[in-house]
Amino acid sequence: PNMRLRNSSVDGSEGSQLFEDTSGAAPGSQMGYRNQQAGPQAAGFPGQSILSDPMSNLAMAYGSSLASQGREMVDKNLDRFIPISKLKYYFAVDTVYVGKKLGLLVFPYMHENWEVSYQQDTPVAPRFDVNAPDLYIPAMGFITYVLVAGLALGTQNRFSPELLGVQASSALVWLIMEVLAVLLSLYLVTVNTDLTTIDLLAFSGYKYVGMIIGVVSGLLFGKPAYYLTLLWCCAAIFVFMIRTLRLKLLSEAAAEGRLVRGTRNQLRMYLTMSIATAQPIFMYWLTYHLIR
């Protein structure tokens, strides 16, 4: 028993303290923790030193100059294949011009002056001259024609996205083939004219106005109204093309109304008649199946 009491007293004196007293070291450890937290803030962010570095500013300026040079190169090469500056001219229209042009396309018989106005050897913008060609009416006419065709197919329970896509693609393909055929004919006849490919695209796209009027009339009033309206629009576009293209394709003598002689002038006149005659044919071909 004495040995047990002695051992228990020794064990009690040594084992009464189960954990080490760290109260004396606590302030030092807390100070170290605070220093660790304040260290990154006192040192500052790395981005601030980078932004304040002159070499980084020089690199940023060099990169911006490279980006501007690349943009100029892309614009130059793009303008070589797609004349953006010329396209801006053909879309320089306003509401007054669009109204007058649509009236001219539907009723061209009373219009007398068909010459395009020039200012310092440059044709004026379409919004200042109703005789100037534009691409706004052909583009909007094509889109509207596709929508009206979808409406006509829908009223006949024949609408489908595939059929609408075929309708749009066929109209676009026929337009491109028409322009290419005219360009080939101009090359074979060797006509010196200021007509460009965009001009031909604009003149060929004007027929969508008559096509839309014919299809809408057929949807509202039936098939007889479609034929009557389309006949009127075909005659109007024929007269419009004759009076517009004769100033571009025929010689100065033909433009003034004098007698045209010579094989080359006759070929030009036949070409003008062919282009004007093709417009009613395409108008009927692209719309007759939409009215039943």
Side-chain angles (χ1 to χ4, degrees):
N2 295 328
M3 293 295 295
R4 291 179 182 177
L5 292 173
R6 190 180 303 162
N7 291 332
S8 63
S9 63
V10 173
D11 294 338
S13 62
E14 293 180 356
S16 61
Q17 188 175 355
L18 297 178
F19 301 98
E20 183 180 0
D21 187 8
T22 58
S23 61
S29 61
Q30 292 179 358
M31 290 298 296
Y33 179 72
R34 292 175 182 175
N35 292 332
Q36 289 179 0
Q37 286 184 340
Q41 296 178 357
F45 292 104
Q48 295 178 355
S49 60
I50 293 177
L51 292 177
S52 61
D53 190 3
M55 294 300 296
S56 63
N57 296 330
L58 181 61
M60 292 176 62
Y62 181 69
S64 62
S65 64
L66 284 180
S68 62
Q69 291 178 2
R71 184 177 60 185
E72 292 177 358
M73 185 178 298
V74 170
D75 294 339
K76 185 184 297 183
N77 293 328
L78 183 63
D79 190 70
R80 181 183 303 174
F81 299 100
I82 303 176
I84 304 297
S85 58
K86 293 182 179 180
L87 289 179
K88 292 181 180 179
Y89 164 80
Y90 290 94
F91 284 95
V93 300
D94 55 6
T95 306
V96 177
Y97 167 82
V98 172
K100 291 182 179 180
K101 194 73 170 189
L102 291 177
L104 185 61
L105 292 173
V106 176
F107 194 82
Y109 309 104
M110 303 300 295
H111 192 66
E112 296 180 356
N113 184 16
W114 292 86
E115 295 182 357
V116 179
S117 301
Y118 285 82
Q119 184 178 6
Q120 297 180 355
D121 297 334
T122 304
V124 298
R127 63 175 176 267
F128 301 117
D129 185 15
V130 71
N131 296 322
D134 70 284
L135 285 178
Y136 177 80
I137 294 178
M140 294 297 103
F142 177 79
I143 296 173
T144 308
Y145 162 72
V146 174
L147 296 178
V148 171
L151 177 62
L153 295 175
T155 55
Q156 303 168 10
N157 295 326
R158 296 189 296 134
F159 177 80
S160 65
E162 293 80 9
L163 189 58
L164 186 63
V166 170
Q167 190 73 26
S169 60
S170 61
L172 185 60
V173 168
W174 280 114
L175 180 64
I176 295 175
M177 291 179 61
E178 179 185 356
V179 173
L180 292 178
V182 174
L183 290 175
L184 180 60
S185 301
L186 292 175
Y187 175 76
L188 294 177
V189 179
T190 63
V191 176
N192 294 325
T193 178
D194 57 350
L195 276 176
T196 62
T197 305
I198 304 179
D199 293 335
L200 295 176
L201 189 63
F203 290 133
S204 300
Y206 285 141
K207 61 176 172 285
Y208 292 116
V209 176
M211 293 164 57
I212 294 168
I213 296 175
V215 174
V216 172
S217 300
L219 291 177
L220 294 177
F221 305 105
K223 208 167 187 178
Y226 160 75
Y227 283 112
L228 291 176
T229 308
L230 188 66
L231 181 62
W232 176 272
C233 294
C234 288
I237 196 65
F238 179 82
V239 174
F240 174 83
M241 296 294 288
I242 288 291
R243 294 185 177 180
T244 301
L245 294 180
R246 72 185 182 92
L247 299 176
K248 301 289 186 179
L249 300 181
L250 299 180
S251 61
E252 296 180 356
E256 295 174 358
R258 298 200 298 267
L259 182 62
V260 179
R261 295 180 180 179
T263 305
R264 181 172 296 180
N265 285 335
Q266 289 182 356
L267 290 176
R268 294 176 179 178
M269 184 170 57
Y270 293 152
L271 179 59
T272 305
M273 295 289 295
S274 300
I275 297 173
T277 307
Q279 306 306 311
I281 296 175
F282 284 116
M283 291 172 66
Y284 176 75
W285 176 258
L286 295 173
T287 56
Y288 79 97
H289 60 282
L290 298 176
I291 305 298
R292 290 185 178 180

